[in-house]
Amino acid sequence: MRVGPEGEVPPHHPNCFGCGPDNPAGLGLQMRVDGEGIRANLTLDARHEGAPGLAHGGVVAAVFDDLFGGMLVVLEAPAVTANLNVDFRSPVPLGEPLVLRASNTGADGRKLMFGATLEADGRLLAEATAVFVRVDLAHFKGTRAPIPEAWRRWGTAPRPPMHGSAQARDRA
């Protein structure tokens, strides 16, 4: 699983709720490397509704969680969410194009820290921070679901933070 030649970040696996192309209930998040992080465009619809005309807060949190998962793909770092914090600045409307951006904000041992924003038409609607903890691939074997072949190439040693799209693609 490598970043594509145009900076496209492949799905974590085909059935991923956030980015998996084979999941009919999924969000369809498509990410690409952008500067020192990743970017995604998304429009939420009635399937994602909480209050009338607005996105459910849990869906917004899931979008951020998956966006951070895209950072793990770029870094080739098997890890799991340890903490996810979302600050809602304004209601997230349905049917409007949304722009999401995420970046790596730090590392401490097995911990990887990320930050992200969600905007619509230049308005900041939500911000998120997360801590992910690196794990060995054996962590996922207990689920009995197949581990994507591409994950097997991922190293377990810490990788340097992502600094710019060219370096990220060079590592791919």
Side-chain angles (χ1 to χ4, degrees):
M1 182 176 315
R2 306 287 176 148
V3 173
E6 301 298 318
E8 59 274 13
V9 178
H12 311 115
H13 62 87
N15 200 45
C16 176
F17 172 72
C19 62
D22 296 347
N23 189 333
L27 297 169
L29 197 61
Q30 295 180 351
M31 300 167 269
R32 70 178 46 253
V33 173
D34 183 42
E36 293 191 18
I38 60 174
R39 174 189 169 122
N41 298 322
L42 178 68
T43 301
L44 298 172
D45 60 40
R47 297 173 298 154
H48 312 114
E49 192 167 33
L54 301 175
H56 189 284
V59 170
V60 174
V63 168
F64 278 124
D65 193 45
D66 201 66
L67 188 70
F68 294 137
M71 291 294 298
L72 298 175
V73 171
V74 171
L75 296 171
E76 296 185 358
V80 294
T81 311
N83 178 275
L84 175 64
N85 183 55
V86 180
D87 291 320
F88 294 91
R89 304 293 184 203
S90 188
V92 178
L94 300 177
E96 286 190 32
L98 305 173
V99 177
L100 296 114
R101 291 183 179 86
S103 62
N104 185 353
T105 60
D108 183 14
R110 292 177 48 216
K111 295 179 183 176
L112 297 169
M113 286 74 104
F114 300 110
T117 59
L118 183 154
E119 298 178 350
D121 198 27
R123 299 180 330 267
L124 178 65
L125 303 179
E127 297 176 284
T129 57
V131 176
F132 279 68
V133 177
R134 291 177 182 272
V135 296
D136 189 88
L137 288 179
H139 175 86
F140 302 104
K141 290 181 181 173
T143 67
R144 295 194 173 106
I147 294 174
E149 187 60 37
W151 289 19
R152 298 176 197 279
R153 291 193 302 265
W154 289 5
T156 55
R159 293 177 62 90
M162 194 167 91
H163 295 291
S165 59
Q167 287 179 345
R169 282 193 292 266
D170 289 345
R171 284 198 313 259

